[in-house]
Amino acid sequence: MLGWGGSARAQETNLALYEAVALQCLAAVPDTARAFVLEAPETMPYLRTALVNRWQAEGRTVFLPGAPGAGGLPGLRYTVETARVAYQKANGGRLARSVTLALRYTFSGADGRLLREARCQDTRTDVIPREALPRVETEAFPETRAEPPAPGWLRRYLEPVVITAATAVGIYLFFTLRSERADDGG
């Protein structure tokens, strides 16, 4: 389990945290294969993109199943077992964020023989400002979103009362002063 802090502007998105866990889990799996076939699920396509980008940056060739030239190559197949974001209340109107990703993968040789099979899970945690939620979640991918806990009684009840009272006093003063100025002939 890893944790880190940072300013609200530097907060990584939940999607980026999922990508970081996938890279940590799978980037080194085809360690000696310079070319291989990647079979990835349709869900969370950004994981496949991050992995392929990493392997291509390392000079590897990645094929999709059934692609020309993919026959007779080793194969890496992964599935997503768990993808979860959770928020809990933290001090000062902040939220403790937890992003968990669990992957199961198999790596087979060119002859189809199973070389490696494993499950990898990691959880990334940090604390973010409540107002950062729209910046860290990605609307297009439901797995990057979670329901935050309801604000505390101070934010829920006291702040609206104070704001309403301040607004009422401001309006009262505005009209009272305006009325007094009109009475003075001003």
Side-chain angles (χ1 to χ4, degrees), residues 71-86:
L73 291 175
L76 173 62
R77 177 184 188 166
Y78 75 89
T79 57
V80 178
E81 288 187 340
T82 304
R84 179 179 55 250
V85 174

Side-chain angles (χ1 to χ4, degrees), residues 36-40 48 52 62-68 70:
F36 59 94
V37 177
L38 175 64
E39 190 173 336
R48 177 180 55 244
V52 168
V62 182
F63 291 91
L64 295 176

Side-chain angles (χ1 to χ4, degrees), residues 15-16 18-24 26-27 38 44-58 62 78:
L15 187 145
Y18 281 136
E19 289 176 341
V21 172
L23 288 168
Q24 175 187 332
L26 298 175
L38 175 64
M44 300 177 79
Y46 49 89
L47 297 181
R48 177 180 55 244
T49 301
L51 288 163
V52 168
N53 288 343
R54 170 72 162 279
W55 289 319
Q56 287 178 338
E58 295 172 352
V62 182
Y78 75 89

Side-chain angles (χ1 to χ4, degrees), residues 30-140:
D31 53 359
T32 59
R34 300 309 304 160
F36 59 94
V37 177
L38 175 64
E39 190 173 336
E42 294 298 317
T43 58
M44 300 177 79
Y46 49 89
L47 297 181
R48 177 180 55 244
T49 301
L51 288 163
V52 168
N53 288 343
R54 170 72 162 279
W55 289 319
Q56 287 178 338
E58 295 172 352
R60 298 172 195 258
T61 305
V62 182
F63 291 91
L64 295 176
L73 291 175
L76 173 62
R77 177 184 188 166
Y78 75 89
T79 57
V80 178
E81 288 187 340
T82 304
R84 179 179 55 250
V85 174
Y87 302 110
Q88 294 180 337
K89 288 182 185 178
N91 293 336
R94 297 166 59 89
L95 297 172
R97 172 175 63 167
S98 174
V99 177
T100 301
L101 180 66
L103 303 173
R104 180 167 299 281
Y105 68 88
T106 57
F107 185 61
S108 303
D111 58 359
R113 185 174 43 101
L114 183 64
L115 300 175
R116 191 176 315 159
E117 179 177 31
R119 180 179 188 273
C120 175
Q121 177 175 329
D122 194 11
T123 300
R124 304 286 173 107
T125 60
D126 64 355
V127 177
I128 62 172
R130 182 177 286 274
E131 57 273 6
L133 279 179
R135 293 188 302 272
V136 299
E137 296 182 334
T138 305
E139 189 67 31

